[in-house]
Amino acid sequence: MSTGTDHDLDRPQAPVVPLGTPCRIPPGAPSNVIPPPGEDLITVNFGPNHPSTHGVLRLIVTLDGEVVVGLDADIGYVHTGFEKNFEQKTYWKGIPYAPRMDYLGFFANELAYVGAVEKLIGIQVPPRAQWLRTLFAELNRIHSHLIYLGTSGIELGAMSLFFYCTRERDSVLDLFEMVTGVRMHDRYPQFGGVAEDVPRGFYAECKRFCREMPKHIDSYLDLTAENPIWKGRLKGIGTIPAETAIAMGLTGPNLRASGVPYDLRRNDPYLAYDQLDFDVVSAAEGDCYARYLCRTREMYESVRIIEQCLEGLPPGPVMADDRKYVLPPRDELQTSMESLIHHFKLVTEGFRTPEGQVYCAVESPRGEFGCYLVADGGPKPWRVHFRAPSFVSLQATAMCSANRYIADMIAVVGSLDGVMGEADR
Amino acid sequence: VTANQLAKAISSNVRGAVVSHAKGIDVPTIVVRAEKLLDVCRYLRDEQGKNFLSAVSAVDFLGYGEDVSGYFGTERGRDLNATGSWGSPATAQAPATRFCLTYHLAHVDADGSPPDRVRLQVFADDGEPVPSVVEIWPTADWHEREQYDLMGIVFTGHPNLKRLIMPSDWDGHPLRKDYPIGGEPVQFTDAV
């Protein structure tokens, strides 16, 4: 039995792929496919509260029988005005807002915002803090990919995978809780370093996690990779050629699955990634199955990076020693009047930055997460704009689902792995 | 490529396009004229390899530099935290035009080369249209719709310029600096 191909339809694989040299344009707007005039078409509202839309995503689908011939994605249902909020908060108070956008890849969001401010004020982050940030960024990547695997499995009808994934997700969150005190949205990276050093016992726990996680990833792959139903639902579905993926601005696993091994951790190293040994996972096919395989295999690499971070964690402080921007250590507040005043001033008035604009991009679990920050010299940002990879990848939904069965659209939305909190901000 | 070289290369190919250029804190920043934007973008994509558009960001400079968005205890924001009191340079200068559109461009390739980012900027006044770059980078579709929706920038030549994030019947553009915070009228009243 040839999986995938028996799924194909006789109709032409229409307006989707005609991209050649560096980047040309698919005919019509890529974010909405306009149905051709014809009878027997019905328009169906799909979502925003449908269990298989991977979040609060509304799709207005035009159907010819069971085949999607027109699709318009409607987002914004969880728009909470994050960017406006940042303008009303001092730089410090912006940190807890950042992780609440992409609530699965929360750590990358914090890194982008904190990184942008650090670039602006030109503060040097000590190496130990860099390595710790790298470690948690990778733990967070595993967390996000686990949720992707579990939820996209549920959308395809594979219930049990979700339970396995949440089991391991819990051990990732236990590690986060051990160090930061909370399981998600941790405010751990701060301007100039991280909030505090890892506690005693973390090393052994994290080591144990690294030992066990590859076995778990093996078992996910055993469950799914050769499963005929899984392959039938994903192989050859929602194919994005490499040039189209670049032209559509896709990044992260979505781009790497299309045969472009572009990864900011490798192409534009930040934190400690230039000192670590890891492979950039990519695949050539560009279909839902390739995206699934990329994400799942990336977890192996993340475990490798975490192991190296544990081994190579340099000694030293975890916070820069620049009292103009950095909160005084907690214990000094009990004994030093100056520290107390300084703490009070930093928390109430915030610090001032030079005037200017910066863009800081990190490789979040979903791709290039960028923070564009404009500062007027005051204690609050003048404007913060986030480049959200989910926002960009959801644009490709219409392109990937055109002329496929509606059931394939579910697989496509799942495999693009959008987080609506981030897309809507 | 430095900002200087890039600005020279652009002006020799698209005459009179570059308004100014700067080294920038992080990446070269080039300001171009709105009417030349498409030519510059096409040049950057085809000749300079900037095949990837990260994002389109709009900034509203209304009131920029007048009172630094400031300390919460005071009327106009400022006095307890006067300009320069932290050793920072003096008051910010507002640009002559109200809005600024920023295009972050990069080079994406399978060969592991660095992204080589460039920041391209266009200034526009309220209601002044800016050409859409969707035909150059299709990814700009939603980015421009977002900026139209939240900032009220009109893009000419956009295939589907309608609200993306806010409901389609929403009044105003929430990310503008003059959009009221708190006490805004209740919307959706007719939806009951």
Side-chain angles (χ1 to χ4, degrees):
Chain A
M1 173 189 153
S2 68
T3 46
T5 47
D6 48 351
H7 215 68
D8 289 345
L9 298 165
D10 287 338
R11 61 182 60 242
Q13 283 290 311
V16 194
V17 206
L19 290 204
T21 32
C23 96
R24 276 190 283 122
I25 314 95
S31 67
N32 60 334
V33 173
I34 318 283
E39 298 191 1
D40 301 333
L41 298 182
I42 46 166
T43 302
V44 179
N45 182 54
F46 191 83
N49 289 319
H50 194 277
S52 61
T53 50
H54 217 75
V56 206
L57 170 67
R58 177 177 172 224
L59 301 168
I60 301 140
V61 192
T62 310
L63 293 173
D64 179 0
E66 259 191 84
V67 177
V68 177
V69 291
L71 190 145
D72 198 359
D74 185 11
I75 65 169
Y77 286 90
V78 279
H79 174 63
T80 27
F82 278 108
E83 290 168 5
K84 190 85 170 172
N85 265 318
F86 273 96
E87 292 170 13
Q88 318 300 326
K89 302 271 177 288
T90 54
Y91 288 98
W92 265 107
K93 292 172 186 171
I95 305 179
Y97 274 78
R100 282 155 175 84
M101 284 181 289
D102 177 357
Y103 38 82
L104 301 180
F106 47 91
F107 203 80
N109 298 15
E110 290 169 309
L111 281 182
Y113 173 66
V114 169
V117 177
E118 280 168 354
K119 248 186 203 179
L120 185 70
I121 59 185
I123 196 169
Q124 287 299 319
V125 180
R128 188 175 174 85
Q130 300 272 30
W131 282 69
L132 282 174
R133 285 180 181 186
T134 316
L135 195 159
F136 284 100
E138 293 308 316
L139 272 178
N140 183 224
R141 192 179 312 278
I142 294 178
H143 167 257
S144 174
H145 285 353
L146 283 172
I147 298 288
Y148 151 74
L149 195 58
T151 52
S152 69
I154 282 190
E155 287 156 15
L156 300 177
M159 286 298 284
S160 50
L161 190 59
F162 183 73
F163 297 113
Y164 295 123
C165 289
T166 32
R167 184 186 60 195
E168 271 71 69
R169 169 186 184 250
D170 246 29
S171 31
V172 175
L173 291 183
D174 284 344
L175 289 171
F176 267 100
E177 190 179 11
M178 195 171 182
V179 176
T180 67
V182 283
R183 295 171 77 78
M184 293 166 87
H185 313 330
D186 42 50
R187 208 183 70 102
Y188 188 57
Q190 303 189 348
F191 310 129
V194 294
E196 53 190 2
D197 212 334
V198 289
R200 198 172 297 167
F202 174 78
Y203 185 86
E205 277 297 305
C206 197
K207 205 78 192 154
R208 193 178 57 78
F209 172 79
C210 290
R211 220 169 29 244
E212 284 171 8
M213 191 62 203
K215 289 182 217 154
H216 293 307
I217 307 172
D218 289 344
S219 71
Y220 309 145
L221 284 169
D222 287 347
L223 271 174
T224 50
E226 291 302 322
N227 183 326
I229 304 173
W230 188 263
K231 280 163 79 176
R233 291 298 303 275
L234 296 181
K235 272 210 164 168
I237 309 293
T239 309
I240 311 176
E243 289 91 6
T244 317
I246 296 174
M248 291 295 289
L250 296 186
T251 43
N254 290 339
L255 177 63
R256 293 195 281 274
S258 293
V260 186
Y262 176 82
D263 189 326
L264 289 178
R265 294 176 292 169
R266 174 61 52 80
N267 293 58
D268 189 15
Y270 55 103
L271 299 184
Y273 285 115
D274 50 346
Q275 300 160 61
L276 296 166
D277 177 32
F278 64 97
D279 294 326
V280 175
V281 182
S282 65
E285 295 81 9
D287 55 2
C288 292
Y289 190 80
R291 293 193 276 278
Y292 141 77
L293 219 53
C294 269
R295 290 209 178 82
T296 315
R297 293 210 175 124
E298 249 178 50
M299 290 196 273
Y300 286 120
E301 298 304 317
S302 293
V303 173
R304 266 177 77 192
I305 296 176
I306 294 168
E307 274 173 340
Q308 291 172 57
C309 284
L310 285 175
E311 292 305 326
L313 197 62
V318 294
M319 197 48 133
D321 188 27
D322 187 343
R323 292 294 169 89
K324 195 167 149 187
Y325 302 113
V326 169
L327 289 184
R330 223 46 227 179
D331 56 311
E332 269 186 34
L333 300 188
Q334 319 295 331
T335 52
S336 159
M337 189 65 193
E338 289 74 16
S339 286
L340 190 66
I341 293 170
H342 216 96
H343 188 278
F344 182 75
K345 294 284 269 185
L346 272 176
V347 170
T348 55
E349 290 178 18
F351 54 75
R352 291 170 154 282
T353 67
E355 190 198 352
Q357 47 185 345
V358 286
Y359 180 75
C360 177
V362 299
E363 184 76 23
S364 97
R366 260 154 279 280
E368 176 180 326
F369 188 91
C371 173
Y372 173 57
L373 195 146
V374 179
D376 64 344
K380 299 173 181 177
W382 181 258
R383 168 88 162 103
V384 184
H385 183 240
F386 291 98
R387 191 257 185 217
S390 304
F391 179 82
V392 179
S393 58
L394 280 173
Q395 265 196 90
T397 316
M399 193 185 80
C400 293
S401 319
N403 297 318
R404 313 285 325 192
Y405 286 122
I406 191 164
D408 295 342
M409 188 184 76
I410 308 296
V412 164
V413 171
S415 80
L416 290 172
D417 192 24
V419 165
M420 297 313 296
E422 179 192 53
D424 297 349
R425 281 155 290 148
Chain B
V1 143
T2 65
N4 220 335
Q5 291 164 336
L6 194 64
K8 252 187 208 145
I10 292 175
S11 3
S12 64
N13 280 276
V14 187
R15 211 152 292 285
V18 177
V19 177
S20 67
H21 62 88
K23 194 162 141 277
I25 296 175
D26 48 353
V27 290
T29 306
I30 315 275
V31 181
V32 297
R33 265 178 242 293
E35 60 269 23
K36 303 275 186 187
L37 177 68
L38 286 184
D39 293 334
V40 173
C41 287
R42 211 165 282 126
Y43 168 75
L44 285 174
R45 184 194 70 180
D46 296 339
E47 311 292 325
Q48 298 279 345
K50 307 290 179 228
N51 56 354
F52 181 83
L53 173 69
S54 282
V56 180
S57 324
V59 182
D60 182 0
F61 282 103
L62 184 73
Y64 185 84
E66 274 174 25
D67 52 12
V68 170
S69 40
Y71 179 63
F72 56 79
T74 58
E75 183 99 343
R76 288 289 286 165
R78 252 342 157 98
D79 9 50
L80 290 184
N81 208 356
T83 313
S85 64
W86 285 66
S88 308
T91 323
Q93 274 290 322
T97 29
R98 179 170 168 186
F99 293 104
C100 172
L101 278 169
T102 305
Y103 303 80
H104 283 100
L105 309 178
H107 172 70
V108 169
D109 210 334
D111 63 2
S113 50
D116 219 1
R117 291 182 199 283
V118 170
R119 182 182 294 128
L120 191 68
Q121 293 192 310
V122 171
F123 283 87
D125 254 329
D126 196 1
E128 212 177 300
V130 175
S132 161
V133 298
V134 170
E135 58 171 287
I136 295 165
W137 297 287
T139 179
D141 185 331
W142 275 21
H143 288 298
E144 289 181 348
R145 278 177 69 188
E146 181 198 343
Q147 299 311 333
Y148 163 72
D149 186 355
L150 300 179
M151 208 57 116
I153 312 271
V154 179
F155 295 92
T156 46
H158 190 288
N160 185 27
L161 196 65
K162 57 178 190 182
R163 284 189 186 270
L164 177 66
I165 306 240
M166 306 303 282
S168 55
D169 56 350
W170 194 262
D171 291 332
H173 304 286
L175 279 185
R176 287 188 170 199
K177 290 285 179 183
D178 53 2
Y179 190 82
I181 301 172
E184 64 261 51
V186 177
Q187 306 223 17
F188 311 117
T189 42
D190 57 341
V192 187

